[in-house]
Amino acid sequence: MKNPFLTGPAYQAFRKDIHHFVAQNIKPYAQEWEQTTQFPDHLLQLLAREGYIGLSLPRSVGGQGKDFWHEVIMAEEIARGGALGWVVSLLVQTNVAALLLYELGTKDQHQTVLKPALDGAGWLALGLTEPISGSHLAGAATTATVKDDQFVVEGEKRYITNGTIADHLIVLANIENHSHGSGLGLLVIPADTKGITRDRLPTAGFKTGDTAVIHFKNCQIAQTCLLGKPKASYLALLKALQRERLISAVAVNAVSQQVLDQTIEFLKTRQRFGEPLIKKQTIRHRVAELAARVEASRQCTYAVCHAFAQGQPVDTEIVMLKITAFETSQDVIRECIQLHGAEGFLETHWLQHVYRDSQAFTIAGGTSEIMRELLASMLLD
Ligand SMILES: Cc1cc2nc3c(=O)[nH]c(=O)nc-3n(C[C@H](O)[C@H](O)[C@H](O)COP(=O)(O)OP(=O)(O)OC[C@H]3O[C@@H](n4cnc5c(N)ncnc54)[C@H](O)[C@@H]3O)c2cc1C
């Protein structure tokens, strides 16, 4: 079923353009980047040149002034490019970090941090997770204390997407002694500030991405690095994380569909017992069931996107999607590997890359366990 919200000619033309971009600049190289663990840094500038960054942000800050559905189309098309690690990097930049900067930033932060990020000249990272607190976001121990007219930042952030490549880090910290108040809040910190060390973490998947550990030791920054006001900016962060979950669900559904489509093509050509595998009843039933689950996930995601774009409250539904869309995708990927026989077990097979990536689907952006905890409290308390 076509998405009833995306049938207009402007959306179709936009999808065609992005599809072409992905076919030209990502698909032919993705497998090589994957195998050489290469972060395709240059793509950000290419995308920016085409006007594909900051799609839904206003033109006044360097965005494209389009609606949320353009972000949806973008997420679907780039997810099909085969470089999922990099896709995560882009979505963190465009659908969380840039958004927070736009909503909370001063004019100066818009000019010096947001604008270059939207121009493709700078990467952004969002440092929330800590070894000490992990899933318990509000338990962050990083501190930013005002001393001698400056903030002194101390702490450690782990598993941070874009951690080593970012030019600016948006960091969750306990703000202390600031005239705007104390409490959990955000800072936007130039990544080359003295006192910051960053190391790439060797992850099992997302080989085209960048995941890092970041240490802050006696890191002194100007008070103007505060992003929004403590407590209020923490609430804005929770809101931005919901949008990240929604747009990631869009991308993950696209991955599920692509994996299934390519598996169907494989089953049509693989001859066993005198006919293509796709003719076997048990295989047909498995494929049919997977197709039903992917379609249900996608249509539900579109419905939530529609409500979200209209400003309706969809927090509960987004948490539901964070569980169902991502777990559906993991199931689809696992089943499709089985349907490929030993070929799908080869380390260099494209499905193995997706399989390794998919292990992070139910961890990054909030684990399935935490999402169930959150959903239960939304529904039952
Ligand atoms: C690829 C990738 C990219 C990431 N990018 C970023 C990023 O850009 N910025 C950032 O800040 N973080 C990022 N993260 C970190 C991610 O948000 C955390 O990994 C996640 O929130 C879980 O924290 P943790 O790994 O410390 O797990 P833990 O909190 O240690 O949890 C371990 C296990 O226990 C379960 N658990 C924890 N608490 C409970 C509970 N109360 N009840 C039941 N089960 C529980 C968890 O679900 C999990 O299965 C990224 C992670 C990955 C894998």
Side-chain angles (χ1 to χ4, degrees), residues 139-165:
T142 296
T143 52
T145 312
V146 175
K147 254 189 215 159
D148 301 331
D149 218 27
Q150 284 195 311
F151 276 122
V152 178
V153 185
E154 298 276 354
E156 178 182 342
K157 299 289 177 182
R158 268 185 105 75
Y159 319 118
I160 308 307
T161 301
N162 301 342
T164 70
I165 53 141

PDB file of all heavy atoms in Angstrom, residues 139-165:
ATOM      1  N   GLY A 139      20.826   9.752  35.614  1.00  0.00           N
ATOM      2  CA  GLY A 139      21.879   9.444  36.594  1.00  0.00           C
ATOM      3  C   GLY A 139      23.260   9.884  36.129  1.00  0.00           C
ATOM      4  O   GLY A 139      24.270   9.500  36.730  1.00  0.00           O
ATOM      5  N   ALA A 140      23.316  10.699  35.081  1.00  0.00           N
ATOM      6  CA  ALA A 140      24.614  11.161  34.545  1.00  0.00           C
ATOM      7  C   ALA A 140      25.440  11.836  35.634  1.00  0.00           C
ATOM      8  O   ALA A 140      24.912  12.613  36.437  1.00  0.00           O
ATOM      9  CB  ALA A 140      24.372  12.126  33.395  1.00  0.00           C
ATOM     10  N   ALA A 141      26.740  11.518  35.641  1.00  0.00           N
ATOM     11  CA  ALA A 141      27.601  12.047  36.706  1.00  0.00           C
ATOM     12  C   ALA A 141      28.536  13.162  36.221  1.00  0.00           C
ATOM     13  O   ALA A 141      29.221  13.792  37.027  1.00  0.00           O
ATOM     14  CB  ALA A 141      28.442  10.909  37.290  1.00  0.00           C
ATOM     15  N   THR A 142      28.561  13.397  34.924  1.00  0.00           N
ATOM     16  CA  THR A 142      29.429  14.463  34.391  1.00  0.00           C
ATOM     17  C   THR A 142      29.014  15.804  35.008  1.00  0.00           C
ATOM     18  O   THR A 142      27.821  16.099  35.110  1.00  0.00           O
ATOM     19  CB  THR A 142      29.319  14.514  32.848  1.00  0.00           C
ATOM     20  OG1 THR A 142      29.823  13.297  32.330  1.00  0.00           O
ATOM     21  CG2 THR A 142      30.085  15.678  32.257  1.00  0.00           C
ATOM     22  N   THR A 143      30.015  16.585  35.397  1.00  0.00           N
ATOM     23  CA  THR A 143      29.701  17.873  36.018  1.00  0.00           C
ATOM     24  C   THR A 143      30.267  19.027  35.192  1.00  0.00           C
ATOM     25  O   THR A 143      31.300  18.887  34.529  1.00  0.00           O
ATOM     26  CB  THR A 143      30.301  17.965  37.441  1.00  0.00           C
ATOM     27  OG1 THR A 143      31.698  17.622  37.355  1.00  0.00           O
ATOM     28  CG2 THR A 143      29.615  17.045  38.412  1.00  0.00           C
ATOM     29  N   ALA A 144      29.566  20.139  35.235  1.00  0.00           N
ATOM     30  CA  ALA A 144      30.061  21.388  34.638  1.00  0.00           C
ATOM     31  C   ALA A 144      29.864  22.468  35.696  1.00  0.00           C
ATOM     32  O   ALA A 144      28.746  22.918  35.959  1.00  0.00           O
ATOM     33  CB  ALA A 144      29.272  21.710  33.380  1.00  0.00           C
ATOM     34  N   THR A 145      30.968  22.810  36.357  1.00  0.00           N
ATOM     35  CA  THR A 145      30.900  23.716  37.508  1.00  0.00           C
ATOM     36  C   THR A 145      31.495  25.070  37.142  1.00  0.00           C
ATOM     37  O   THR A 145      32.578  25.130  36.553  1.00  0.00           O
ATOM     38  CB  THR A 145      31.710  23.116  38.678  1.00  0.00           C
ATOM     39  OG1 THR A 145      31.324  21.742  38.808  1.00  0.00           O
ATOM     40  CG2 THR A 145      31.460  23.840  39.980  1.00  0.00           C
ATOM     41  N   VAL A 146      30.780  26.130  37.476  1.00  0.00           N
ATOM     42  CA  VAL A 146      31.326  27.464  37.189  1.00  0.00           C
ATOM     43  C   VAL A 146      32.405  27.795  38.211  1.00  0.00           C
ATOM     44  O   VAL A 146      32.169  27.734  39.425  1.00  0.00           O
ATOM     45  CB  VAL A 146      30.216  28.544  37.217  1.00  0.00           C
ATOM     46  CG1 VAL A 146      30.843  29.931  37.026  1.00  0.00           C
ATOM     47  CG2 VAL A 146      29.186  28.276  36.142  1.00  0.00           C
ATOM     48  N   LYS A 147      33.610  28.075  37.675  1.00  0.00           N
ATOM     49  CA  LYS A 147      34.753  28.455  38.535  1.00  0.00           C
ATOM     50  C   LYS A 147      35.511  29.555  37.813  1.00  0.00           C
ATOM     51  O   LYS A 147      35.842  29.386  36.634  1.00  0.00           O
ATOM     52  CB  LYS A 147      35.698  27.253  38.675  1.00  0.00           C
ATOM     53  CG  LYS A 147      35.646  26.574  40.022  1.00  0.00           C
ATOM     54  CD  LYS A 147      36.770  25.567  40.118  1.00  0.00           C
ATOM     55  CE  LYS A 147      36.322  24.360  40.921  1.00  0.00           C
ATOM     56  NZ  LYS A 147      37.114  23.192  40.657  1.00  0.00           N
ATOM     57  N   ASP A 148      35.763  30.644  38.471  1.00  0.00           N
ATOM     58  CA  ASP A 148      36.503  31.765  37.865  1.00  0.00           C
ATOM     59  C   ASP A 148      35.916  32.149  36.511  1.00  0.00           C
ATOM     60  O   ASP A 148      36.632  32.243  35.503  1.00  0.00           O
ATOM     61  CB  ASP A 148      37.983  31.403  37.685  1.00  0.00           C
ATOM     62  CG  ASP A 148      38.638  31.053  39.008  1.00  0.00           C
ATOM     63  OD1 ASP A 148      38.173  31.596  40.032  1.00  0.00           O
ATOM     64  OD2 ASP A 148      39.574  30.242  39.007  1.00  0.00           O
ATOM     65  N   ASP A 149      34.609  32.272  36.456  1.00  0.00           N
ATOM     66  CA  ASP A 149      33.930  32.750  35.255  1.00  0.00           C
ATOM     67  C   ASP A 149      33.905  31.765  34.087  1.00  0.00           C
ATOM     68  O   ASP A 149      33.543  32.123  32.971  1.00  0.00           O
ATOM     69  CB  ASP A 149      34.601  34.066  34.792  1.00  0.00           C
ATOM     70  CG  ASP A 149      33.541  35.023  34.278  1.00  0.00           C
ATOM     71  OD1 ASP A 149      32.393  34.898  34.738  1.00  0.00           O
ATOM     72  OD2 ASP A 149      33.871  35.854  33.419  1.00  0.00           O
ATOM     73  N   GLN A 150      34.332  30.520  34.338  1.00  0.00           N
ATOM     74  CA  GLN A 150      34.308  29.516  33.270  1.00  0.00           C
ATOM     75  C   GLN A 150      33.645  28.247  33.788  1.00  0.00           C
ATOM     76  O   GLN A 150      33.573  28.024  34.984  1.00  0.00           O
ATOM     77  CB  GLN A 150      35.741  29.161  32.858  1.00  0.00           C
ATOM     78  CG  GLN A 150      36.418  30.199  31.995  1.00  0.00           C
ATOM     79  CD  GLN A 150      37.646  29.611  31.337  1.00  0.00           C
ATOM     80  OE1 GLN A 150      38.452  29.000  32.021  1.00  0.00           O
ATOM     81  NE2 GLN A 150      37.789  29.803  30.040  1.00  0.00           N
ATOM     82  N   PHE A 151      33.211  27.395  32.860  1.00  0.00           N
ATOM     83  CA  PHE A 151      32.789  26.054  33.258  1.00  0.00           C
ATOM     84  C   PHE A 151      34.018  25.160  33.298  1.00  0.00           C
ATOM     85  O   PHE A 151      34.876  25.226  32.406  1.00  0.00           O
ATOM     86  CB  PHE A 151      31.853  25.444  32.210  1.00  0.00           C
ATOM     87  CG  PHE A 151      30.417  25.823  32.335  1.00  0.00           C
ATOM     88  CD1 PHE A 151      29.767  26.455  31.273  1.00  0.00           C
ATOM     89  CD2 PHE A 151      29.692  25.530  33.483  1.00  0.00           C
ATOM     90  CE1 PHE A 151      28.426  26.780  31.367  1.00  0.00           C
ATOM     91  CE2 PHE A 151      28.356  25.861  33.582  1.00  0.00           C
ATOM     92  CZ  PHE A 151      27.727  26.489  32.521  1.00  0.00           C
ATOM     93  N   VAL A 152      34.071  24.294  34.306  1.00  0.00           N
ATOM     94  CA  VAL A 152      35.067  23.226  34.295  1.00  0.00           C
ATOM     95  C   VAL A 152      34.289  21.917  34.178  1.00  0.00           C
ATOM     96  O   VAL A 152      33.426  21.619  35.009  1.00  0.00           O
ATOM     97  CB  VAL A 152      35.922  23.239  35.583  1.00  0.00           C
ATOM     98  CG1 VAL A 152      36.922  22.085  35.558  1.00  0.00           C
ATOM     99  CG2 VAL A 152      36.634  24.566  35.732  1.00  0.00           C
ATOM    100  N   VAL A 153      34.567  21.176  33.102  1.00  0.00           N
ATOM    101  CA  VAL A 153      33.804  19.946  32.837  1.00  0.00           C
ATOM    102  C   VAL A 153      34.654  18.735  33.184  1.00  0.00           C
ATOM    103  O   VAL A 153      35.827  18.648  32.813  1.00  0.00           O
ATOM    104  CB  VAL A 153      33.359  19.871  31.354  1.00  0.00           C
ATOM    105  CG1 VAL A 153      32.459  18.655  31.111  1.00  0.00           C
ATOM    106  CG2 VAL A 153      32.655  21.147  30.930  1.00  0.00           C
ATOM    107  N   GLU A 154      34.021  17.814  33.930  1.00  0.00           N
ATOM    108  CA  GLU A 154      34.695  16.558  34.315  1.00  0.00           C
ATOM    109  C   GLU A 154      33.726  15.411  34.054  1.00  0.00           C
ATOM    110  O   GLU A 154      32.562  15.481  34.448  1.00  0.00           O
ATOM    111  CB  GLU A 154      35.017  16.556  35.821  1.00  0.00           C
ATOM    112  CG  GLU A 154      35.951  17.639  36.306  1.00  0.00           C
ATOM    113  CD  GLU A 154      37.421  17.271  36.124  1.00  0.00           C
ATOM    114  OE1 GLU A 154      37.721  16.125  35.725  1.00  0.00           O
ATOM    115  OE2 GLU A 154      38.267  18.164  36.375  1.00  0.00           O
ATOM    116  N   GLY A 155      34.212  14.372  33.405  1.00  0.00           N
ATOM    117  CA  GLY A 155      33.340  13.213  33.213  1.00  0.00           C
ATOM    118  C   GLY A 155      33.760  12.360  32.032  1.00  0.00           C
ATOM    119  O   GLY A 155      34.805  12.580  31.408  1.00  0.00           O
ATOM    120  N   GLU A 156      32.915  11.367  31.737  1.00  0.00           N
ATOM    121  CA  GLU A 156      33.201  10.433  30.639  1.00  0.00           C
ATOM    122  C   GLU A 156      31.901  10.066  29.932  1.00  0.00           C
ATOM    123  O   GLU A 156      30.893   9.796  30.577  1.00  0.00           O
ATOM    124  CB  GLU A 156      33.860   9.160  31.195  1.00  0.00           C
ATOM    125  CG  GLU A 156      34.133   8.118  30.125  1.00  0.00           C
ATOM    126  CD  GLU A 156      34.752   6.830  30.687  1.00  0.00           C
ATOM    127  OE1 GLU A 156      35.282   6.851  31.819  1.00  0.00           O
ATOM    128  OE2 GLU A 156      34.676   5.807  29.984  1.00  0.00           O
ATOM    129  N   LYS A 157      31.945  10.080  28.614  1.00  0.00           N
ATOM    130  CA  LYS A 157      30.788   9.679  27.799  1.00  0.00           C
ATOM    131  C   LYS A 157      31.203   8.498  26.934  1.00  0.00           C
ATOM    132  O   LYS A 157      32.300   8.483  26.380  1.00  0.00           O
ATOM    133  CB  LYS A 157      30.342  10.854  26.904  1.00  0.00           C
ATOM    134  CG  LYS A 157      29.906  12.088  27.688  1.00  0.00           C
ATOM    135  CD  LYS A 157      28.586  11.865  28.391  1.00  0.00           C
ATOM    136  CE  LYS A 157      28.173  13.071  29.230  1.00  0.00           C
ATOM    137  NZ  LYS A 157      26.910  12.833  29.964  1.00  0.00           N
ATOM    138  N   ARG A 158      30.304   7.545  26.801  1.00  0.00           N
ATOM    139  CA  ARG A 158      30.644   6.314  26.052  1.00  0.00           C
ATOM    140  C   ARG A 158      29.649   6.023  24.949  1.00  0.00           C
ATOM    141  O   ARG A 158      28.489   6.383  25.060  1.00  0.00           O
ATOM    142  CB  ARG A 158      30.644   5.118  27.002  1.00  0.00           C
ATOM    143  CG  ARG A 158      31.977   4.821  27.601  1.00  0.00           C
ATOM    144  CD  ARG A 158      31.944   3.563  28.420  1.00  0.00           C
ATOM    145  NE  ARG A 158      32.593   2.466  27.709  1.00  0.00           N
ATOM    146  CZ  ARG A 158      33.904   2.331  27.571  1.00  0.00           C
ATOM    147  NH1 ARG A 158      34.699   3.216  28.102  1.00  0.00           N
ATOM    148  NH2 ARG A 158      34.406   1.309  26.921  1.00  0.00           N
ATOM    149  N   TYR A 159      30.123   5.335  23.939  1.00  0.00           N
ATOM    150  CA  TYR A 159      29.296   4.879  22.796  1.00  0.00           C
ATOM    151  C   TYR A 159      28.712   6.062  22.022  1.00  0.00           C
ATOM    152  O   TYR A 159      27.566   6.010  21.576  1.00  0.00           O
ATOM    153  CB  TYR A 159      28.161   3.948  23.253  1.00  0.00           C
ATOM    154  CG  TYR A 159      28.578   2.956  24.308  1.00  0.00           C
ATOM    155  CD1 TYR A 159      27.992   2.973  25.566  1.00  0.00           C
ATOM    156  CD2 TYR A 159      29.583   2.035  24.036  1.00  0.00           C
ATOM    157  CE1 TYR A 159      28.395   2.077  26.548  1.00  0.00           C
ATOM    158  CE2 TYR A 159      29.995   1.136  25.021  1.00  0.00           C
ATOM    159  CZ  TYR A 159      29.396   1.168  26.273  1.00  0.00           C
ATOM    160  OH  TYR A 159      29.787   0.300  27.244  1.00  0.00           O
ATOM    161  N   ILE A 160      29.485   7.117  21.892  1.00  0.00           N
ATOM    162  CA  ILE A 160      28.955   8.343  21.294  1.00  0.00           C
ATOM    163  C   ILE A 160      29.141   8.349  19.776  1.00  0.00           C
ATOM    164  O   ILE A 160      30.268   8.340  19.277  1.00  0.00           O
ATOM    165  CB  ILE A 160      29.630   9.597  21.927  1.00  0.00           C
ATOM    166  CG1 ILE A 160      29.533   9.530  23.457  1.00  0.00           C
ATOM    167  CG2 ILE A 160      29.009  10.872  21.370  1.00  0.00           C
ATOM    168  CD1 ILE A 160      28.136   9.322  24.018  1.00  0.00           C
ATOM    169  N   THR A 161      28.011   8.357  19.069  1.00  0.00           N
ATOM    170  CA  THR A 161      28.021   8.439  17.604  1.00  0.00           C
ATOM    171  C   THR A 161      28.651   9.771  17.193  1.00  0.00           C
ATOM    172  O   THR A 161      28.323  10.816  17.771  1.00  0.00           O
ATOM    173  CB  THR A 161      26.570   8.351  17.073  1.00  0.00           C
ATOM    174  OG1 THR A 161      26.017   7.114  17.515  1.00  0.00           O
ATOM    175  CG2 THR A 161      26.527   8.420  15.553  1.00  0.00           C
ATOM    176  N   ASN A 162      29.535   9.720  16.214  1.00  0.00           N
ATOM    177  CA  ASN A 162      30.277  10.898  15.714  1.00  0.00           C
ATOM    178  C   ASN A 162      31.299  11.409  16.728  1.00  0.00           C
ATOM    179  O   ASN A 162      31.834  12.519  16.555  1.00  0.00           O
ATOM    180  CB  ASN A 162      29.339  12.060  15.320  1.00  0.00           C
ATOM    181  CG  ASN A 162      28.357  11.678  14.250  1.00  0.00           C
ATOM    182  OD1 ASN A 162      28.557  10.675  13.558  1.00  0.00           O
ATOM    183  ND2 ASN A 162      27.299  12.444  14.101  1.00  0.00           N
ATOM    184  N   GLY A 163      31.562  10.604  17.751  1.00  0.00           N
ATOM    185  CA  GLY A 163      32.429  11.055  18.847  1.00  0.00           C
ATOM    186  C   GLY A 163      33.794  11.542  18.418  1.00  0.00           C
ATOM    187  O   GLY A 163      34.268  12.571  18.909  1.00  0.00           O
ATOM    188  N   THR A 164      34.456  10.833  17.494  1.00  0.00           N
ATOM    189  CA  THR A 164      35.821  11.282  17.128  1.00  0.00           C
ATOM    190  C   THR A 164      35.817  12.271  15.968  1.00  0.00           C
ATOM    191  O   THR A 164      36.782  12.996  15.781  1.00  0.00           O
ATOM    192  CB  THR A 164      36.759  10.102  16.755  1.00  0.00           C
ATOM    193  OG1 THR A 164      36.342   9.543  15.510  1.00  0.00           O
ATOM    194  CG2 THR A 164      36.800   9.033  17.817  1.00  0.00           C
ATOM    195  N   ILE A 165      34.743  12.281  15.182  1.00  0.00           N
ATOM    196  CA  ILE A 165      34.762  13.162  14.001  1.00  0.00           C
ATOM    197  C   ILE A 165      34.071  14.500  14.243  1.00  0.00           C
ATOM    198  O   ILE A 165      34.197  15.422  13.441  1.00  0.00           O
ATOM    199  CB  ILE A 165      34.093  12.472  12.786  1.00  0.00           C
ATOM    200  CG1 ILE A 165      32.707  11.971  13.174  1.00  0.00           C
ATOM    201  CG2 ILE A 165      34.953  11.332  12.236  1.00  0.00           C
ATOM    202  CD1 ILE A 165      31.693  12.154  12.114  1.00  0.00           C
TER     203      ILE A 165
END
